[in-house]
Amino acid sequence: MEYADLLLTDSPKLRRRPEPDTWSPLEYACHMRDVLLVQRERALAARRSTTPDATPMGRDERVEHDGYLDQKPSDVGRQLRDAAHLFANVLERLSGDDWERTLIYSYPEPQERSLRWLALHTLHELRHHLLDMHRQLDT
């Protein structure tokens, strides 16, 4: 996983925020680890019940509450790989009908979304934040 590979460097850029309101590469990696775990739980909830609410994950609060900047990059890389495998396992077990199961996704406004959308949205987020990390580490 490319995220984990980027975290193997000892670069001080991993913990540096380019702007006060822009996360560091390490914070983006921690965020994506948590997104994968949260999305996994949301997919499992949608399989267990009919159209559950996808409780907001508190993305901004987690940066401080979980101490993203204090985490060891190599640990985060390993955890990211594990989270990706856990999420992929849940997706691989979906049948054709399961992909159309829904949940209420709250962002940007409450809307019913399928597990197919959830998977594609998660992939989009992974790609987007990987680009954010590259932009910061390649400068």
Side-chain angles (χ1 to χ4, degrees), residues 61-115:
E61 295 85 357
R62 284 174 183 256
V63 176
E64 180 184 333
H65 294 171
D66 197 27
Y68 282 2
L69 277 178
D70 297 326
Q71 296 185 29
K72 186 175 175 184
S74 60
D75 288 346
V76 175
R78 186 190 72 255
Q79 294 160 1
L80 252 165
R81 285 183 199 273
D82 290 345
H85 286 296
L86 288 165
F87 183 56
N89 178 62
V90 168
L91 296 181
E92 288 168 1
R93 300 178 69 78
L94 297 176
S95 70
D97 290 342
D98 288 334
W99 286 100
E100 301 312 316
R101 293 191 64 87
T102 60
L103 65 162
I104 303 297
Y105 210 82
S106 61
Y107 184 83
E109 59 186 43
Q111 186 172 0
E112 192 170 316
R113 302 288 192 167
S114 70
L115 289 183

Side-chain angles (χ1 to χ4, degrees), residues 9 14 17 49 77-78 108 134 138:
T9 177
L14 280 176
R17 283 185 167 201
S49 58
R78 186 190 72 255
H134 272 294
D138 294 342

Side-chain angles (χ1 to χ4, degrees), residues 116-128:
R116 183 177 315 284
W117 178 90
L118 181 82
L120 291 172
H121 176 70
T122 304
L123 178 59
H124 166 80
E125 288 296 304
L126 282 164
R127 288 179 176 166
H128 172 78

